[in-house]
Amino acid sequence: MLKLNLIQKIRLAVRRAFDKKNMAKIVYKKKSDNNLGTYYIDMNFIEDFGDMFNTYSFASSFNEGGIRSFYKQRIVELDLI
C-alpha cells in the first residue's frame, strides 16, 4: 500500500506549501517477471484510482521520465527524497 509515516506526511505537506519539488523513491515489483524496479515519482502529481495511481515518474534516474501507472499492492518500499 501507499502509506507514509507521520514525518513523511509532514515533510510532504511543508514541501507542497512552499512549492518545492516532491520526489519519492519507490521499489516496485513488476507484474511481468516479479523483479524489483526502482522508480522516482513526482508526489505533486498523483491521480488516485483506488488500487492504482498515475504519476509522472523516472525509471532509475532523473533523465528519462513519463507518466506511468502503479498498483499500490506491488509497492515494496516508499521513501521521500
Side-chain angles (χ1 to χ4, degrees):
M1 290 194 96
L2 183 63
K3 290 188 178 182
L4 299 174
N5 66 38
L6 181 61
I7 300 298
Q8 290 174 325
K9 287 180 184 178
I10 293 169
R11 182 177 172 197
L12 181 59
V14 169
R15 291 177 68 112
R16 281 185 177 163
F18 290 102
D19 198 29
K20 298 285 185 180
K21 193 171 189 177
N22 290 308
M23 298 301 289
K25 180 182 105 173
I26 63 171
V27 178
Y28 187 76
K29 186 173 19 172
K30 297 177 187 178
K31 181 181 179 181
S32 59
D33 55 8
N34 282 333
N35 285 334
L36 297 178
T38 301
Y39 296 90
Y40 296 92
I41 63 172
D42 184 351
M43 296 292 286
N44 286 330
F45 172 71
I46 292 182
E47 296 174 315
D48 191 4
F49 298 107
D51 64 338
M52 67 177 290
F53 64 94
N54 293 334
T55 187
Y56 192 81
S57 68
F58 302 89
S60 302
S61 71
F62 285 95
N63 296 328
E64 298 177 16
I67 295 177
R68 290 186 175 89
S69 297
F70 295 96
Y71 286 93
K72 294 176 185 176
Q73 69 268 16
R74 292 191 193 140
I75 294 175
V76 176
E77 182 181 330
L78 170 70
D79 293 313
L80 290 177
I81 54 173

